[in-house]
Amino acid sequence: MKSVLFGWYIRFLKLCAFFVPIRSNSFVILNGAGRSGSNGYLFYKYLRKEHPELNVTLVEPWPSSHLKWSVWKKIGGAQYIFTTHQPFKIKRKQISFSLWHGIPLKRMGFMAYNTKYHTNKHNMNIWQHQADYIASSSDIYETLMASCVGIDTNKFIRTGFPRLDFLNKPISKRIILKDLFDSDNEKAKIGIYMPTFRYELEDKTIMNQIESGNFFAFDDFDIVALNSTLVENNQYLIVKLHPYEMKLVSAEMKQASNIAFLNNNYLNENDIDLYELLGITDFLMTDFSSIFFDYLLLNRPIIFVSNFLKQYSKARGLLMSPYENIVPGQQVLNQKELQIILKNIDKDPYKERRNKLCTIFFEKDKNCCQSIYELTKRVN
């Protein structure tokens, strides 16, 4: 019932905003990606810094039923609208740019095992009619997105993604160590663990493990032993869970000296995005998250936590397989294996493989924000 009412709410506000006149060179960014690698938010930061003469509005969270009419007027009067998820615009004359939020590894849309055809068909129609331009990094990205969502290939523009520009513009490592770990260890190596959304596996056991503080959902999880391994190797681990999972983790499990949970509050309060922090990390741990593709550009060690590979392959499916031939890093199924790899993180045999994958997924990975801005001038 709530979704139906929300749909009518959006239709009503779109109708009202339709009569707002379009203002030249007005930009609205509808950010539905929070601060976790948001192309929308980082493009907004670029515009504010490099083009202060522009009229730019950041709308977040999006979509929302709590937006003021003044915000809807800006959306209705925007010449350019940028989105991080589904494309959106109110008038045909508006120009809609889709920045999306990652190169997909897991199946989605038409390709997923756990979606419905009529929903996918509805979403395809939205993309066809609402998206004018879709940021792309490579041929393979366009192939994957077109397969999943049914996008017309002539909508893709090889601009790259705004967040890629910020991988090489990181904030201070010293500040992160102090803020998150209260440490000034000059030998520190920082890793980050970013799993995908595990709630969709519909397995209560996994959620119960996470709620108990077992953020890996390992059967042999031992936070004391894990923290000891990190201390021995001058390693610090940032844990960035999906917001839903983050709410489950009990406060008493956040006290390990070399393990810190990163939530959106810290990012919001400091006006930074995760990708402005990612560049200071020395290694990544993930499972099936698209973040590993972007991390290829840093060419640093990646550890793949694959304890739920069978479940994901069955419930949703992967776009590329076999998994072990795609991922450029060591796989772990339990904490014992993870601790061994952490002790030998510098022995990294995957550099060449990461470089090769990087050339496949990123034909465009620099000056992405500038490329998108210049595109707006050409289609004016």
Side-chain angles (χ1 to χ4, degrees):
M1 183 63 180
K2 286 184 178 180
S3 61
V4 173
L5 291 175
F6 184 70
W8 280 108
Y9 162 82
I10 293 292
R11 292 185 185 95
F12 174 72
L13 269 299
K14 284 179 69 174
L15 177 62
C16 295
F18 180 84
F19 298 99
V20 177
I22 292 177
R23 296 178 59 187
S24 179
N25 282 326
S26 55
F27 291 64
V28 164
I29 297 169
L30 306 178
N31 182 29
R35 295 287 187 272
S36 298
S38 171
N39 284 312
Y41 176 66
L42 290 172
F43 185 56
Y44 168 77
K45 290 191 77 168
Y46 161 83
L47 290 177
R48 295 288 291 178
K49 180 181 179 181
E50 302 296 334
H51 299 281
E53 75 282 1
L54 296 177
N55 179 10
V56 183
T57 300
L58 177 68
V59 179
E60 58 179 3
W62 174 265
S64 172
S65 60
H66 303 288
L67 299 181
K68 297 179 180 178
W69 170 238
S70 59
V71 175
W72 275 101
K73 286 199 296 183
K74 289 185 176 182
I75 298 173
Q79 183 176 10
Y80 307 105
I81 297 180
F82 296 82
T83 60
T84 58
H85 287 69
Q86 267 193 351
F88 182 90
K89 66 179 181 179
I90 294 174
K91 309 166 191 177
R92 184 170 296 181
K93 290 184 178 180
Q94 291 179 311
I95 302 174
S96 173
F97 294 83
S98 177
L99 303 178
W100 199 234
H101 53 281
I103 299 172
L105 175 60
K106 294 185 296 183
R107 289 173 177 254
M108 61 180 187
F110 287 108
M111 296 294 290
Y113 301 141
N114 58 352
T115 58
K116 297 180 179 179
Y117 176 79
H118 72 272
T119 301
N120 296 328
K121 185 71 178 295
H122 173 72
N123 290 334
M124 181 183 71
N125 289 334
I126 292 175
W127 280 88
Q128 288 296 96
H129 293 99
Q130 299 283 315
D132 296 303
Y133 300 97
I134 302 169
S136 168
S137 65
S138 62
D139 282 330
I140 192 168
Y141 174 77
E142 294 166 17
T143 300
L144 295 173
M145 288 294 290
S147 299
C148 290
V149 191
I151 299 171
D152 189 342
T153 55
N154 64 16
K155 293 180 180 289
F156 290 105
I157 301 294
R158 203 68 56 82
T159 58
F161 310 119
R163 65 187 186 181
L164 302 182
D165 290 347
F166 289 80
L167 286 174
N168 295 312
K169 301 177 183 178
I171 60 177
S172 168
K173 186 174 188 176
R174 179 181 58 81
I175 291 175
I176 294 300
L177 276 171
K178 183 63 178 176
D179 286 354
L180 299 185
F181 303 98
D182 194 23
S183 171
D184 56 2
N185 187 348
E186 295 181 355
K187 297 181 180 179
K189 293 184 178 180
I190 299 178
I192 187 167
Y193 172 54
M194 285 193 64
T196 192
F197 186 34
R198 291 167 288 187
Y199 180 78
E200 66 179 331
L201 291 176
E202 298 181 348
D203 187 332
K204 291 184 178 179
T205 302
I206 298 172
M207 292 299 105
N208 289 338
Q209 288 176 310
I210 295 171
E211 187 172 10
S212 72
N214 180 0
F215 46 85
F216 285 114
F218 284 150
D219 290 337
D220 62 343
F221 181 75
D222 183 338
I223 196 168
V224 175
L226 176 61
N227 193 65
S228 295
T229 296
L230 294 169
V231 171
E232 290 170 9
N233 293 279
N234 288 307
Q235 295 168 342
Y236 296 79
L237 181 63
I238 298 172
V239 179
K240 180 69 173 72
L241 304 179
H242 185 277
Y244 177 86
E245 295 181 1
M246 195 67 213
K247 293 178 181 178
L248 299 178
V249 180
S250 55
E252 61 268 19
M253 296 301 295
K254 303 177 185 180
Q255 304 304 316
S257 64
N258 286 39
I259 300 173
F261 289 79
L262 179 66
N263 57 43
N264 284 335
N265 289 339
Y266 178 85
L267 299 172
N268 288 327
E269 290 167 3
N270 290 277
D271 294 321
I272 58 175
D273 182 87
L274 176 69
Y275 271 54
E276 296 175 272
L277 182 155
L278 205 58
I280 65 150
T281 62
D282 297 284
F283 60 93
L284 167 71
M285 286 191 275
T286 187
D287 47 11
F288 316 103
S289 170
S290 63
I291 194 174
F292 103 75
F293 291 110
D294 293 350
Y295 206 77
L296 294 173
L297 294 166
L298 296 173
N299 202 2
R300 297 170 191 169
I302 307 174
I303 301 170
F304 292 90
V305 182
S306 53
N307 49 336
F308 299 118
L309 176 59
K310 290 183 179 179
Q311 289 95 318
Y312 266 109
S313 298
K314 182 178 180 180
R316 181 166 170 175
L318 301 179
L319 286 169
M320 292 167 280
S321 62
Y323 178 77
E324 60 271 16
N325 291 346
I326 298 299
V327 297
Q330 292 179 280
Q331 299 175 61
V332 299
L333 297 173
N334 52 56
Q335 183 170 313
K336 181 179 179 180
E337 293 176 351
L338 174 61
Q339 289 180 225
I340 293 172
I341 292 175
L342 288 173
K343 292 176 181 178
N344 298 279
I345 196 72
D346 292 331
K347 298 176 182 179
D348 176 24
Y350 291 91
K351 289 184 178 180
E352 185 176 342
R353 187 168 169 185
R354 288 196 299 268
N355 267 329
K356 183 174 289 187
L357 274 178
C358 196
T359 61
I360 295 173
F361 286 95
F362 298 100
E363 296 171 30
K364 171 66 176 176
D365 60 68
K366 292 181 176 65
N367 301 318
C368 303
C369 290
Q370 181 181 337
S371 297
I372 294 170
Y373 171 73
E374 291 175 352
L375 176 62
T376 65
K377 301 298 102 182
R378 295 198 301 270
V379 301
N380 193 336

